[in-house]
Amino acid sequence: MGYVVPATEIPSVEVAGTKDRFPVHRIYCVGRNYAAHAREMGKDPERDPPFFFCKPADAVVANNVDVPYATETENFHHEIELVIAIGKEAVNVPIEKAKDYIYGYAVGNDLTRRDLQLVAREQGRPWDAGKAFDLSAPITKIYPVSQVGHLESGKIWLKVNNETRQEADLKELIWDTAEIVSILSKFFKLQAGDLIYTGTPAGVGAVKVGDTITGGIEGIDEMLVTKIV
């Protein structure tokens, strides 16, 4: 049996310290998971439960790879995030066992067509055009838990052309990594190969052609570098 059109290659991400790669099944994203960012987006973090949206698996972009300025937007934003890599199937996982399903962590950037996202939000429409577009998920190598442990605190930051835009601490997450995995596993059957972008701190902002975005997370020995072209 063959395919009626050519089969696409499975998207994957490098794994730090090995020659192996992490095959990407799905990309889940958590909306407004830092209180200050929720407020800058005009929402009350004390009343909003966690919510999720998705990007296509092939939205991943390797570190140090240029990203073209997205089409159909005049307000292209950066969002630095801790990324969870899921290592095995997870369904209805209790919080106290959730970390057992985490393979590792990475630094990610949830690139966003902010103008399209905000229009969709105001009209009660899906966010796909604002979030789930090509090359919208830059990511570093994945660092296994065996190398870095579980990241529960530590500085998360982003700079544009060496100017600080975002800076916070992972302990400021409204819903921590265990809670995110547990809650998400109640809505979806998480699979080995899933990535979860856990939300961004305050300070999101626009980038333009020629800008270089750098970002990092304390505990991950790699900086995410993306140039907009």
mmCIF file of all heavy atoms in Angstrom, residues 119-147:
data_model
loop_
_atom_site.group_PDB
_atom_site.id
_atom_site.type_symbol
_atom_site.label_atom_id
_atom_site.label_comp_id
_atom_site.label_asym_id
_atom_site.label_seq_id
_atom_site.Cartn_x
_atom_site.Cartn_y
_atom_site.Cartn_z
ATOM 1 N N VAL A 119 -8.272 40.465 17.143
ATOM 2 C CA VAL A 119 -9.524 40.543 16.387
ATOM 3 C C VAL A 119 -10.347 39.277 16.604
ATOM 4 O O VAL A 119 -11.561 39.338 16.849
ATOM 5 C CB VAL A 119 -9.245 40.757 14.886
ATOM 6 C CG1 VAL A 119 -10.513 40.545 14.064
ATOM 7 C CG2 VAL A 119 -8.697 42.151 14.636
ATOM 8 N N ALA A 120 -9.699 38.118 16.534
ATOM 9 C CA ALA A 120 -10.411 36.862 16.754
ATOM 10 C C ALA A 120 -10.987 36.797 18.160
ATOM 11 O O ALA A 120 -12.124 36.342 18.364
ATOM 12 C CB ALA A 120 -9.459 35.685 16.518
ATOM 13 N N ARG A 121 -10.214 37.248 19.134
ATOM 14 C CA ARG A 121 -10.689 37.231 20.520
ATOM 15 C C ARG A 121 -11.931 38.094 20.688
ATOM 16 O O ARG A 121 -12.912 37.683 21.315
ATOM 17 C CB ARG A 121 -9.583 37.706 21.461
ATOM 18 C CG ARG A 121 -9.903 37.503 22.932
ATOM 19 C CD ARG A 121 -8.784 38.002 23.821
ATOM 20 N NE ARG A 121 -8.809 39.461 23.965
ATOM 21 C CZ ARG A 121 -7.975 40.142 24.741
ATOM 22 N NH1 ARG A 121 -7.028 39.511 25.403
ATOM 23 N NH2 ARG A 121 -8.075 41.461 24.830
ATOM 24 N N GLU A 122 -11.897 39.289 20.110
ATOM 25 C CA GLU A 122 -13.032 40.201 20.252
ATOM 26 C C GLU A 122 -14.275 39.680 19.535
ATOM 27 O O GLU A 122 -15.407 39.940 19.966
ATOM 28 C CB GLU A 122 -12.657 41.586 19.712
ATOM 29 C CG GLU A 122 -11.590 42.302 20.535
ATOM 30 C CD GLU A 122 -11.967 42.421 22.006
ATOM 31 O OE1 GLU A 122 -13.121 42.811 22.290
ATOM 32 O OE2 GLU A 122 -11.121 42.118 22.868
ATOM 33 N N GLN A 123 -14.067 38.922 18.472
ATOM 34 C CA GLN A 123 -15.195 38.401 17.699
ATOM 35 C C GLN A 123 -15.613 37.007 18.150
ATOM 36 O O GLN A 123 -16.537 36.418 17.577
ATOM 37 C CB GLN A 123 -14.838 38.388 16.210
ATOM 38 C CG GLN A 123 -14.620 39.787 15.633
ATOM 39 C CD GLN A 123 -14.234 39.757 14.169
ATOM 40 O OE1 GLN A 123 -13.863 38.721 13.623
ATOM 41 N NE2 GLN A 123 -14.327 40.909 13.514
ATOM 42 N N GLY A 124 -14.952 36.478 19.179
ATOM 43 C CA GLY A 124 -15.288 35.150 19.677
ATOM 44 C C GLY A 124 -14.942 34.030 18.715
ATOM 45 O O GLY A 124 -15.571 32.971 18.713
ATOM 46 N N ARG A 125 -13.895 34.247 17.904
ATOM 47 C CA ARG A 125 -13.483 33.258 16.912
ATOM 48 C C ARG A 125 -12.204 32.542 17.357
ATOM 49 O O ARG A 125 -11.507 33.005 18.247
ATOM 50 C CB ARG A 125 -13.255 33.941 15.564
ATOM 51 C CG ARG A 125 -14.523 34.532 14.965
ATOM 52 C CD ARG A 125 -14.225 35.253 13.678
ATOM 53 N NE ARG A 125 -15.454 35.767 13.053
ATOM 54 C CZ ARG A 125 -15.478 36.491 11.951
ATOM 55 N NH1 ARG A 125 -14.343 36.787 11.326
ATOM 56 N NH2 ARG A 125 -16.637 36.914 11.451
ATOM 57 N N PRO A 126 -11.881 31.397 16.741
ATOM 58 C CA PRO A 126 -10.651 30.682 17.090
ATOM 59 C C PRO A 126 -9.407 31.523 16.825
ATOM 60 O O PRO A 126 -9.417 32.433 15.998
ATOM 61 C CB PRO A 126 -10.684 29.450 16.169
ATOM 62 C CG PRO A 126 -12.115 29.283 15.803
ATOM 63 C CD PRO A 126 -12.683 30.670 15.741
ATOM 64 N N TRP A 127 -8.317 31.177 17.525
ATOM 65 C CA TRP A 127 -7.065 31.924 17.439
ATOM 66 C C TRP A 127 -6.113 31.401 16.369
ATOM 67 O O TRP A 127 -4.967 31.852 16.280
ATOM 68 C CB TRP A 127 -6.332 31.837 18.779
ATOM 69 C CG TRP A 127 -6.928 32.631 19.885
ATOM 70 C CD1 TRP A 127 -8.127 33.294 19.898
ATOM 71 C CD2 TRP A 127 -6.343 32.852 21.174
ATOM 72 N NE1 TRP A 127 -8.330 33.906 21.101
ATOM 73 C CE2 TRP A 127 -7.251 33.650 21.910
ATOM 74 C CE3 TRP A 127 -5.151 32.445 21.776
ATOM 75 C CZ2 TRP A 127 -6.982 34.054 23.224
ATOM 76 C CZ3 TRP A 127 -4.889 32.843 23.079
ATOM 77 C CH2 TRP A 127 -5.801 33.640 23.786
ATOM 78 N N ASP A 128 -6.513 30.437 15.572
ATOM 79 C CA ASP A 128 -5.564 29.741 14.700
ATOM 80 C C ASP A 128 -4.726 30.678 13.836
ATOM 81 O O ASP A 128 -3.510 30.512 13.725
ATOM 82 C CB ASP A 128 -6.308 28.746 13.800
ATOM 83 C CG ASP A 128 -6.997 27.648 14.583
ATOM 84 O OD1 ASP A 128 -7.875 27.981 15.411
ATOM 85 O OD2 ASP A 128 -6.671 26.462 14.377
ATOM 86 N N ALA A 129 -5.360 31.667 13.211
ATOM 87 C CA ALA A 129 -4.610 32.560 12.325
ATOM 88 C C ALA A 129 -3.596 33.389 13.091
ATOM 89 O O ALA A 129 -2.557 33.773 12.546
ATOM 90 C CB ALA A 129 -5.570 33.480 11.561
ATOM 91 N N GLY A 130 -3.872 33.665 14.365
ATOM 92 C CA GLY A 130 -2.955 34.456 15.173
ATOM 93 C C GLY A 130 -1.848 33.660 15.825
ATOM 94 O O GLY A 130 -0.800 34.207 16.185
ATOM 95 N N LYS A 131 -2.066 32.348 15.981
ATOM 96 C CA LYS A 131 -1.112 31.530 16.744
ATOM 97 C C LYS A 131 -0.552 30.327 15.972
ATOM 98 O O LYS A 131 0.617 29.984 16.141
ATOM 99 C CB LYS A 131 -1.814 31.004 18.010
ATOM 100 C CG LYS A 131 -2.077 32.059 19.074
ATOM 101 C CD LYS A 131 -0.798 32.446 19.804
ATOM 102 C CE LYS A 131 -1.081 33.260 21.055
ATOM 103 N NZ LYS A 131 0.166 33.605 21.793
ATOM 104 N N ALA A 132 -1.394 29.672 15.163
ATOM 105 C CA ALA A 132 -1.027 28.361 14.624
ATOM 106 C C ALA A 132 -0.512 28.417 13.197
ATOM 107 O O ALA A 132 -0.910 27.628 12.347
ATOM 108 C CB ALA A 132 -2.231 27.421 14.720
ATOM 109 N N PHE A 133 0.379 29.353 12.931
ATOM 110 C CA PHE A 133 0.889 29.518 11.574
ATOM 111 C C PHE A 133 2.270 28.891 11.424
ATOM 112 O O PHE A 133 2.895 28.460 12.398
ATOM 113 C CB PHE A 133 0.901 31.002 11.186
ATOM 114 C CG PHE A 133 1.631 31.894 12.157
ATOM 115 C CD1 PHE A 133 2.964 32.206 11.971
ATOM 116 C CD2 PHE A 133 0.969 32.426 13.264
ATOM 117 C CE1 PHE A 133 3.644 33.040 12.857
ATOM 118 C CE2 PHE A 133 1.627 33.261 14.158
ATOM 119 C CZ PHE A 133 2.965 33.556 13.960
ATOM 120 N N ASP A 134 2.760 28.851 10.205
ATOM 121 C CA ASP A 134 4.057 28.229 9.903
ATOM 122 C C ASP A 134 5.184 28.931 10.660
ATOM 123 O O ASP A 134 5.201 30.159 10.793
ATOM 124 C CB ASP A 134 4.350 28.312 8.405
ATOM 125 C CG ASP A 134 3.364 27.525 7.557
ATOM 126 O OD1 ASP A 134 2.777 26.568 8.092
ATOM 127 O OD2 ASP A 134 3.174 27.885 6.378
ATOM 128 N N LEU A 135 6.134 28.148 11.142
ATOM 129 C CA LEU A 135 7.366 28.650 11.764
ATOM 130 C C LEU A 135 7.082 29.534 12.983
ATOM 131 O O LEU A 135 7.813 30.483 13.254
ATOM 132 C CB LEU A 135 8.201 29.424 10.734
ATOM 133 C CG LEU A 135 8.521 28.679 9.429
ATOM 134 C CD1 LEU A 135 9.289 29.573 8.470
ATOM 135 C CD2 LEU A 135 9.279 27.390 9.691
ATOM 136 N N SER A 136 6.051 29.200 13.730
ATOM 137 C CA SER A 136 5.648 30.030 14.868
ATOM 138 C C SER A 136 6.115 29.499 16.214
ATOM 139 O O SER A 136 5.747 30.044 17.248
ATOM 140 C CB SER A 136 4.122 30.177 14.894
ATOM 141 O OG SER A 136 3.488 28.915 15.049
ATOM 142 N N ALA A 137 6.941 28.435 16.217
ATOM 143 C CA ALA A 137 7.336 27.825 17.487
ATOM 144 C C ALA A 137 8.836 27.531 17.558
ATOM 145 O O ALA A 137 9.264 26.371 17.643
ATOM 146 C CB ALA A 137 6.539 26.539 17.729
ATOM 147 N N PRO A 138 9.686 28.570 17.542
ATOM 148 C CA PRO A 138 11.119 28.343 17.754
ATOM 149 C C PRO A 138 11.365 27.641 19.085
ATOM 150 O O PRO A 138 10.651 27.880 20.074
ATOM 151 C CB PRO A 138 11.706 29.762 17.762
ATOM 152 C CG PRO A 138 10.738 30.568 16.940
ATOM 153 C CD PRO A 138 9.388 29.993 17.279
ATOM 154 N N ILE A 139 12.398 26.789 19.119
ATOM 155 C CA ILE A 139 12.663 26.000 20.319
ATOM 156 C C ILE A 139 14.140 25.597 20.362
ATOM 157 O O ILE A 139 14.766 25.379 19.323
ATOM 158 C CB ILE A 139 11.756 24.747 20.342
ATOM 159 C CG1 ILE A 139 11.837 24.015 21.686
ATOM 160 C CG2 ILE A 139 12.050 23.823 19.172
ATOM 161 C CD1 ILE A 139 10.798 22.914 21.846
ATOM 162 N N THR A 140 14.687 25.545 21.564
ATOM 163 C CA THR A 140 16.050 25.023 21.743
ATOM 164 C C THR A 140 16.013 23.497 21.709
ATOM 165 O O THR A 140 14.961 22.885 21.537
ATOM 166 C CB THR A 140 16.631 25.446 23.100
ATOM 167 O OG1 THR A 140 15.829 24.858 24.155
ATOM 168 C CG2 THR A 140 16.674 26.943 23.261
ATOM 169 N N LYS A 141 17.171 22.901 21.909
ATOM 170 C CA LYS A 141 17.213 21.459 22.158
ATOM 171 C C LYS A 141 16.375 21.140 23.394
ATOM 172 O O LYS A 141 16.193 21.993 24.273
ATOM 173 C CB LYS A 141 18.654 21.004 22.404
ATOM 174 C CG LYS A 141 19.597 21.195 21.237
ATOM 175 C CD LYS A 141 21.018 20.859 21.645
ATOM 176 C CE LYS A 141 21.992 21.168 20.522
ATOM 177 N NZ LYS A 141 23.402 20.970 20.942
ATOM 178 N N ILE A 142 15.897 19.919 23.475
ATOM 179 C CA ILE A 142 15.201 19.456 24.669
ATOM 180 C C ILE A 142 16.222 18.896 25.642
ATOM 181 O O ILE A 142 17.091 18.092 25.269
ATOM 182 C CB ILE A 142 14.145 18.406 24.306
ATOM 183 C CG1 ILE A 142 13.041 19.062 23.478
ATOM 184 C CG2 ILE A 142 13.562 17.753 25.566
ATOM 185 C CD1 ILE A 142 12.082 18.085 22.865
ATOM 186 N N TYR A 143 16.122 19.339 26.897
ATOM 187 C CA TYR A 143 17.043 18.893 27.942
ATOM 188 C C TYR A 143 16.317 17.905 28.846
ATOM 189 O O TYR A 143 15.364 18.269 29.527
ATOM 190 C CB TYR A 143 17.556 20.094 28.743
ATOM 191 C CG TYR A 143 18.573 20.891 27.975
ATOM 192 C CD1 TYR A 143 18.181 21.695 26.907
ATOM 193 C CD2 TYR A 143 19.931 20.799 28.270
ATOM 194 C CE1 TYR A 143 19.116 22.397 26.165
ATOM 195 C CE2 TYR A 143 20.876 21.503 27.531
ATOM 196 C CZ TYR A 143 20.460 22.290 26.480
ATOM 197 O OH TYR A 143 21.395 22.980 25.730
ATOM 198 N N PRO A 144 16.725 16.613 28.818
ATOM 199 C CA PRO A 144 16.037 15.605 29.613
ATOM 200 C C PRO A 144 16.072 15.927 31.104
ATOM 201 O O PRO A 144 17.019 16.566 31.597
ATOM 202 C CB PRO A 144 16.815 14.319 29.315
ATOM 203 C CG PRO A 144 17.472 14.564 27.995
ATOM 204 C CD PRO A 144 17.806 16.029 27.996
ATOM 205 N N VAL A 145 15.040 15.484 31.813
ATOM 206 C CA VAL A 145 14.986 15.655 33.267
ATOM 207 C C VAL A 145 16.222 15.057 33.925
ATOM 208 O O VAL A 145 16.719 15.582 34.929
ATOM 209 C CB VAL A 145 13.695 15.015 33.821
ATOM 210 C CG1 VAL A 145 13.725 14.953 35.338
ATOM 211 C CG2 VAL A 145 12.477 15.788 33.340
ATOM 212 N N SER A 146 16.762 13.992 33.344
ATOM 213 C CA SER A 146 17.969 13.361 33.911
ATOM 214 C C SER A 146 19.158 14.305 33.914
ATOM 215 O O SER A 146 20.102 14.130 34.692
ATOM 216 C CB SER A 146 18.315 12.097 33.118
ATOM 217 O OG SER A 146 18.553 12.406 31.747
ATOM 218 N N GLN A 147 19.128 15.341 33.055
ATOM 219 C CA GLN A 147 20.219 16.310 32.990
ATOM 220 C C GLN A 147 19.950 17.558 33.819
ATOM 221 O O GLN A 147 20.870 18.100 34.433
ATOM 222 C CB GLN A 147 20.471 16.733 31.539
ATOM 223 C CG GLN A 147 20.954 15.632 30.613
ATOM 224 C CD GLN A 147 21.204 16.157 29.209
ATOM 225 O OE1 GLN A 147 21.469 17.334 28.994
ATOM 226 N NE2 GLN A 147 21.096 15.283 28.226
#
